[in-house]
Amino acid sequence: MSLGLGSLLLLETACDPKPDDIGPVSPTVGSLDSIPYNPVAYDYPEINGLPAMEEPSDNRATEAGVKLGRYLFYERKLSIDSSISCASCHHQDRAFTDGNPVGIGVGGAVGTRNSMSLINVGYNWKQNSQHNFNWDGKFASLEEQVLSPVEHPLEMMSNWEDVMQRLKGHEHYPRMFRQAFGIEHIDEMSKELAAKALAQFLRTLNSADSEYDRDEWVPFEYMSEAAQRGKLLFLGDALGSASTKDAECAHCHSFTRDAAIFARNSFSNNAIDSVSSFIEFSDNGLGDVTGSVVDNGRFREVSLRNVGLTAPYMHDGRFATLEEVLDHYTDHTSGSRGPNVANELSTAPELPHLTAQEKQDIITFLHALTDTSYVNKAEWADPFLQADPWAE
Amino acid sequence: MRYLSAFLILALVGWAASCKKDPVDPPVEETKNLTLNFKAQFDGQALPMFTDVSAPNGENFQLQVFNFFLSYIEVQKENGDWVLVDSSAYVNFNSLVDLADAEAGVDLSYSLAETGNFTAIRFGLGVSPDLNAMDPADFSSAVALGDAGNYWTAWDSYIFTRTEGKIDSLPTAAGGDVNFLYHSGVDGMYQQKNFSKQFNLEQATSLNFTIDIKEVFYKVGQEIPIADNNVSHSGDPSTAEYAIVKTVITNMGQALELQ
């Protein structure tokens, strides 16, 4: 839609020609149509192991849209007292998580959920699903999700009306909104367009350059033997080899060679709470979103790419280390942990019997999913640390 | 300056295009004239997920996860020609937890350009070998084949059917619930189904299928030994794992009826 709308606006301009002079924005008048609107489609790099990125038809990424999204992502004016930005909880060098058990908002407000990684976040979108984002699947689209932190009472604590007032009065954002979306007037700057820009930026945060990826795609580069053994355990049933134990991880953290996301992104109860009925979970997760009690205690089967960088773990950050995670899976996933414990876990015949060495091998494999190629990547970094952030 | 002229060129192109007035119609919802409805039952009664029913051997049986792929749904015209309705569809009962939802079942709805009289419908239960040779990355996320979660990399195969749930303690067993999980996959398991049925697509038509879960797990002579072997995700054709899910999907194919 944005591109469509953009070109429609462009067409109108064309039928009703305006003077060609490109003057500065006049904040008093608020007209932006003297600023060139020259949308260039963003070209997603092809990455081995990742499918083509899907975008909603009404929000095709453009260079200017992605750039605006990046600025907004690092913009502290999105929080009530201009103290934090999205990046305060989503650090580039931690795969866009923050190292805390739960998110810390304005004034040190303690949230309830663990900040999620944003690497490859665009792949979490399934077109016909209503439950794609957040631990509990509250949001269908990235465009919806990114609106929420600004008004969240434990996150940025602001409201979009105020935020848009600030952005409209800013020296540079009106121009950037014009360049991204072709709007003709400052009054057309809206939270919906801000959300589209943020979503465009997030859909560019794609990377798959870990030891696992190089083992898969680069000739003669291999993971360590421990990681190879861990992969077989993780995948299970591998290649019909009867001797390999099966840790059953890949049911839920699924991957294929060409779609190596390591997430099913459906919802299940992986038994981290021990309950005897559907109404005892400390956080109902998906159940509060769908209103169906059998969904209580179900959370999203998230990607395990970069887990080496994203401790602590689970929706509430309860496990500090991958060792604790593995101990949980081997020791506490029987069906007696609750009425809807995922059957992939409760029926797993060998999972409870993994040896210490086998658990360590799985952890080594999880570390082989760590990709550090982007931690200093300039295009994703804080633009306000650049010498001249507003240079065009 | 180069920036500016690029803008002018774009604007000119836009100008030329814009003067052919393009009517912007709201998208029209195509009317669906063929609905395939699927209901899961147990002994003829609607079977919601997470609901105990009493099995012929006296144990309680509960289904918690139930879904399957269909491939190449085709309907046959009076002249014998087969018309493709859909190359792949996914029937998922997981969210049907309430009785009313279970009674309503799952609908697959299509708008078919071909109308007139039809005499049969056929499809495969599972993922046909040609589609099973593809990878989720080859499909859009809008379809179930595009979901890596429906693929089992260890077997290079889609998961054709999922049946999961639990039975309670058997009279002879030590006690406690036995959870079960049977996922069928791999090419040898694909089941071709063909149903004769007179129908007409001049007006909207619904073809109503039922699948009786009692006939999947407790079919006389083809029982699934849940208590003895509660988990299998297919595997190598020479193994017991393979045999048990092959029986599950075979029973499913046989239990699937067109009303």
Side-chain angles (χ1 to χ4, degrees):
Chain A
M1 233 319 254
S2 73
L3 206 70
L5 183 73
S7 37
L8 271 183
L9 291 172
L10 192 63
L11 304 188
E12 264 173 40
T13 324
C15 266
D16 172 20
K18 297 222 162 61
D20 283 334
D21 67 337
I22 310 235
V25 195
S26 157
T28 45
V29 182
S31 169
L32 301 170
D33 60 7
S34 60
I35 298 171
Y37 171 53
N38 184 13
V40 178
Y42 176 83
D43 199 7
Y44 290 93
E46 270 183 40
I47 300 175
N48 284 335
L50 299 181
M53 177 55 68
E54 295 182 337
E55 309 171 303
S57 58
D58 64 354
N59 193 22
R60 303 278 192 219
T62 61
E63 296 282 350
V66 170
K67 179 176 178 187
L68 172 59
R70 174 179 165 213
Y71 277 64
L72 293 174
F73 187 81
Y74 287 96
E75 180 55 76
R76 290 170 190 267
K77 291 188 168 57
L78 265 53
S79 61
I80 186 164
D81 57 357
S82 298
S83 61
I84 67 171
S85 71
C86 307
S88 304
C89 301
H90 297 288
H91 307 185
Q92 184 177 2
D93 60 354
R94 291 179 181 267
F96 293 97
T97 62
D98 59 13
N100 297 314
V102 293
I104 306 292
V106 167
V110 179
T112 58
R113 300 253 178 91
N114 183 249
S115 303
M116 301 182 88
S117 170
L118 303 179
I119 295 293
N120 303 324
V121 68
Y123 291 104
N124 299 340
W125 187 54
K126 294 181 198 171
Q127 288 184 47
N128 294 332
S129 164
Q130 290 308 300
H131 307 296
N132 293 320
F133 296 98
N134 281 18
W135 287 102
D136 57 4
K138 186 169 180 189
F139 299 104
S141 68
L142 275 176
E143 283 74 1
E144 286 170 51
Q145 198 289 337
V146 298
L147 287 171
S148 70
V150 167
E151 302 198 333
H152 195 291
L154 298 173
E155 295 181 2
M156 302 171 105
M157 300 185 193
S158 188
N159 65 76
W160 274 103
E161 219 167 287
D162 289 354
V163 168
M164 290 317 298
Q165 279 314 320
R166 290 180 185 178
L167 298 182
K168 285 177 187 177
H170 192 273
E171 195 184 342
H172 299 285
Y173 281 114
R175 169 177 55 78
M176 293 175 78
F177 273 76
R178 160 76 180 171
Q179 289 167 334
F181 298 111
I183 56 170
E184 303 208 312
H185 195 280
I186 278 186
D187 289 348
E188 292 170 62
M189 287 171 68
S190 65
K191 66 175 185 184
E192 287 77 16
L193 293 182
K196 283 185 172 183
L198 279 163
Q200 287 186 25
F201 172 62
L202 294 177
R203 274 193 283 271
T204 68
L205 303 180
N206 308 315
S207 191
D209 188 12
S210 63
E211 271 177 57
Y212 157 81
D213 297 294
R214 289 194 293 274
D215 178 285
E216 197 70 38
W217 296 94
V218 182
F220 310 114
E221 281 209 35
Y222 303 106
M223 296 188 290
S224 69
E225 282 191 12
Q228 307 269 9
R229 290 194 303 267
K231 180 185 170 187
L232 286 188
L233 289 161
F234 185 96
L235 192 55
D237 284 355
L239 311 170
S241 139
S243 61
T244 304
K245 275 197 193 168
D246 189 346
E248 318 276 348
C249 313
H251 282 286
C252 305
H253 303 288
S254 12
F255 67 104
T256 70
R257 181 172 149 93
D258 293 320
I261 308 298
F262 294 88
R264 185 162 67 176
N265 279 324
S266 328
F267 296 81
S268 60
N269 172 7
N270 68 342
I272 56 176
D273 280 353
S274 180
V275 298
S276 51
S277 79
F278 284 115
I279 53 169
E280 291 166 40
F281 292 97
S282 50
D283 181 339
N284 285 332
L286 179 68
D288 280 348
V289 174
T290 64
S292 174
V293 287
V294 303
D295 287 333
N296 285 356
R298 287 180 170 165
F299 289 86
R300 209 174 88 212
E301 297 148 346
V302 292
S303 174
L304 298 187
R305 278 191 177 274
N306 301 299
V307 280
L309 301 173
T310 66
Y313 304 106
M314 306 297 164
H315 69 270
D316 52 5
R318 69 177 66 190
F319 298 132
T321 62
L322 290 172
E323 282 72 14
E324 286 177 36
V325 171
L326 262 291
D327 288 346
H328 160 70
Y329 277 112
T330 53
D331 300 353
H332 301 295
T333 46
S334 78
S336 64
R337 297 273 293 181
N340 62 350
V341 169
N343 297 302
E344 287 91 344
L345 292 166
S346 64
T347 64
E350 293 141 356
L351 182 58
H353 309 296
L354 296 183
T355 64
Q357 179 61 51
E358 287 164 337
K359 284 156 79 166
Q360 204 49 54
D361 288 345
I362 293 175
I363 292 171
T364 305
F365 174 62
L366 294 177
H367 282 292
L369 298 176
T370 300
D371 168 5
T372 52
S373 65
Y374 55 79
V375 298
N376 295 311
K377 189 171 168 144
E379 299 98 292
W380 299 356
D382 186 345
F384 303 117
L385 301 177
Q386 292 169 174
D388 182 5
W390 302 107
E392 281 177 55
Chain B
M1 188 55 204
R2 185 186 287 168
Y3 189 52
L4 182 69
S5 52
F7 168 66
L8 283 176
I9 290 165
L10 252 182
L12 275 173
V13 171
W15 183 74
S18 68
C19 299
K20 301 190 249 113
K21 196 97 189 109
D22 270 333
V24 183
D25 293 326
V28 244
E29 257 295 296
E30 278 181 293
T31 46
K32 311 283 188 187
N33 56 357
L34 177 62
T35 297
L36 309 182
N37 176 269
F38 293 86
K39 290 183 180 67
Q41 301 186 329
F42 197 92
D43 208 7
Q45 304 297 308
L47 178 64
M49 299 298 114
F50 283 94
T51 303
D52 278 340
V53 287
S54 149
N57 64 1
E59 70 195 10
N60 279 323
F61 173 93
Q62 183 180 102
L63 199 60
Q64 297 174 344
V65 167
F66 183 38
N67 46 54
F68 50 82
F69 276 98
L70 299 179
S71 302
Y72 294 108
I73 303 171
E74 295 177 310
V75 289
Q76 191 171 33
K77 297 202 291 189
E78 271 176 325
N79 69 3
D81 288 352
W82 288 95
V83 179
L84 181 68
V85 177
D86 200 350
S87 52
S88 172
Y90 192 63
V91 183
N92 190 353
F93 296 87
N94 290 4
S95 65
L96 309 187
V97 177
D98 297 330
L99 184 60
D101 290 340
E103 282 171 344
V106 177
D107 281 340
L108 303 176
S109 296
Y110 299 100
S111 64
L112 224 66
E114 300 263 355
T115 54
N117 291 323
F118 293 82
T119 58
I121 178 166
R122 71 181 179 191
F123 49 73
L125 173 62
V127 178
S128 61
D130 61 328
L131 295 173
N132 205 27
M134 316 268 281
D135 185 280
D138 300 329
F139 298 94
S140 132
S141 74
V143 297
L145 290 175
D147 191 335
N150 289 330
Y151 196 84
W152 191 234
T153 292
W155 295 111
D156 285 331
S157 174
Y158 282 95
I159 298 166
F160 294 4
T161 69
R162 284 192 183 89
T163 45
E164 302 175 20
K166 65 168 190 181
I167 52 174
D168 68 356
S169 51
L170 294 160
T172 51
D177 290 343
V178 178
N179 290 75
F180 65 82
L181 173 149
Y182 304 107
H183 290 179
S184 75
V186 306
D187 286 344
M189 299 201 175
Y190 188 59
Q191 307 283 312
Q192 189 61 49
K193 296 294 297 177
N194 199 327
F195 302 90
S196 299
K197 178 84 180 176
Q198 303 289 330
F199 60 98
N200 181 293
L201 290 181
E202 299 304 340
Q203 66 285 328
T205 298
S206 184
L207 300 182
N208 300 313
F209 294 87
T210 57
I211 179 160
D212 201 312
I213 300 300
K214 185 178 146 198
E215 293 302 305
V216 175
F217 287 92
Y218 301 96
K219 188 185 178 81
V220 177
Q222 282 166 238
E223 293 92 348
I224 305 302
I226 301 175
D228 297 332
N229 194 346
N230 67 328
V231 57
S232 170
H233 6 91
S234 301
D236 189 272
S238 63
T239 60
E241 315 303 314
Y242 182 94
I244 193 169
V245 276
K246 179 78 188 258
T247 309
V248 171
I249 192 171
T250 306
N251 288 355
M252 279 177 69
Q254 291 171 358
L256 195 57
E257 287 182 357
L258 175 56
Q259 301 301 300

